[in-house]
Amino acid sequence: MEVRSLGFRTDLMVRRLAGSLIEDAGDHLIVRSPRHPTFYWGNFLLLAGPPAAGDLPRWLDRFAVTFPAAAHVALGVDGTEVDMATTPEWEEAGLVGQSSVVLTAEHLTAPHHPADGVISRPLRSDLDWRQAVGLRVDMAMSEGSTSDAHRSFLETTVAEARALSDRGHATFFGAFVDGRLRSYLGLVDDGGPVARFQTVETHPAHRRRGLAGDLVYRAGVHGLARPEVTTLVIVAESDGPAIGLYRALGFADRERQAQLERTPPS
Ligand SMILES: CC(C)(COP(=O)(O)OP(=O)(O)OC[C@H]1O[C@@H](n2cnc3c(N)ncnc32)[C@H](O)[C@@H]1OP(=O)(O)O)[C@@H](O)C(=O)NCCC(=O)NCCS
């Protein structure tokens, strides 16, 4: 299957570099991440288009057969402008349709608000990576997610980021305030012209002080300084807190990325 969506093409690039298995089943792709089994978007089917009316049970069966131990359902929908208005059929199956914005930039504009007293640099040491886990756990707790299972999920996610970094496929940057990591992101590429941002997050107590803006700008400039990289890709929720920041830094809306998801009951 030829994937049209730049969002999914770059997701698949990251998954491949992270060691996920990608199988072409003709009218869909199967993405498996055996070392990261509870990561929904590491274990999903990518369909060539939205499920046709009456076709959803077939895809749910396909998902269940492919991922028998999964508690979630994750169906990506290829395309660049897919209408993801939830249908009664999706709603009945407990699936929520999401449509994110894929933005790109060939050059960046420096942030309007400099991040004063902040040191932004790539993560290097064991301590840096431990702080990355700590930051992600703090963020999850602030959103009410405190389970051991979620902590273990975040540890695996950061370990995967570190492995990508160690193998030279990614640089993860941190913004440090008084020596503590308060904002974090990654930029991944496979040696081709496109680099994809990952996981832009700032500690809730340190937001709106320019940390993420500084990191996206510095990481982007670092990426574009590589001769092979011409385009930066970042994905954001259309009504989320990040999209305005990305646009102000020079990213332009390019297409929409569509997903159908059913999360396990908490
Ligand atoms: C989105 C997120 C990463 C932004 O992090 P942040 O460190 O607060 O980002 P910044 O401080 O650089 O910019 C945020 C806003 O504060 C503004 N700002 C920054 N410093 C400022 C200052 N000194 N004075 C006034 N405004 C300021 C920025 O202009 C930006 O404004 P905008 O929202 O109108 O575009 C953060 O809210 C977060 O972690 N959210 C949860 C995870 C998430 O949604 N991640 C994005 C995934 S795509």
Side-chain angles (χ1 to χ4, degrees):
M1 178 177 128
E2 196 71 34
V3 179
R4 288 172 295 149
S5 157
L6 178 62
F8 279 116
R9 284 208 307 276
T10 49
D11 281 338
L12 294 171
M13 171 184 83
V14 176
R15 286 293 94 225
R16 200 173 286 116
L17 293 171
S20 299
L21 309 170
I22 300 171
E23 187 186 326
D24 191 340
D27 60 351
H28 65 288
L29 297 185
I30 301 168
V31 181
R32 291 187 178 86
S33 302
R35 281 176 296 189
H36 209 352
T38 59
F39 176 30
Y40 305 160
W41 293 101
N43 297 280
F44 68 101
L45 304 182
L46 178 56
L47 316 187
D55 217 14
L56 188 59
R58 182 172 76 86
W59 287 115
L60 293 177
D61 283 352
R62 186 81 181 99
F63 188 90
V65 167
T66 310
F67 301 104
H72 72 283
V73 173
L75 302 173
V77 180
D78 191 24
T80 56
E81 291 298 335
V82 183
D83 176 9
M84 289 305 282
T86 301
T87 69
E89 194 184 13
W90 297 353
E91 206 167 357
E92 211 166 287
L95 288 167
V96 177
Q98 297 166 352
S99 176
S100 308
V101 182
V102 182
L103 303 100
T104 64
E106 276 79 40
H107 309 278
L108 292 184
T109 308
H112 298 314
H113 302 286
D116 293 328
V118 175
I119 293 178
S120 296
R121 61 167 176 80
L123 303 193
R124 298 186 196 98
S125 65
D126 288 347
L127 178 60
D128 287 349
W129 289 103
R130 276 204 301 279
Q131 289 211 50
V133 174
L135 172 64
R136 301 215 60 189
V137 169
D138 283 353
M139 290 232 356
M141 288 177 77
S142 76
E143 289 160 6
S145 185
T146 54
S147 69
D148 287 348
H150 195 62
R151 187 188 172 95
S152 155
F153 165 81
L154 293 172
E155 283 169 352
T156 305
T157 304
V158 172
E160 189 180 77
R162 185 174 188 174
L164 275 173
S165 205
D166 289 347
R167 291 201 300 272
H169 299 311
T171 309
F172 280 77
F173 291 78
F176 294 81
V177 180
D178 297 329
R180 298 286 305 274
L181 180 70
R182 297 306 191 186
S183 187
Y184 165 81
L185 59 70
L187 187 66
V188 184
D189 76 86
D190 63 358
V194 175
R196 168 71 191 265
F197 278 93
Q198 295 281 285
T199 322
V200 185
E201 287 186 347
T202 298
H203 190 284
H206 292 263
R207 290 187 184 157
R208 302 193 70 81
R209 298 181 193 178
L211 271 61
D214 189 63
L215 278 186
V216 173
Y217 178 69
R218 283 172 193 269
V221 168
H222 171 93
L224 289 169
R226 297 177 58 156
E228 69 277 15
V229 173
T230 57
T231 305
L232 304 171
V233 177
I234 201 161
V235 178
E237 289 170 30
S238 56
D239 54 357
I243 195 160
L245 176 65
Y246 300 159
R247 287 175 179 147
L249 292 170
F251 284 90
D253 298 22
R254 176 87 174 267
E255 55 186 55
R256 299 185 77 84
Q257 181 175 11
Q259 298 171 317
L260 276 169
E261 185 179 90
R262 183 168 74 204
T263 54
S266 50

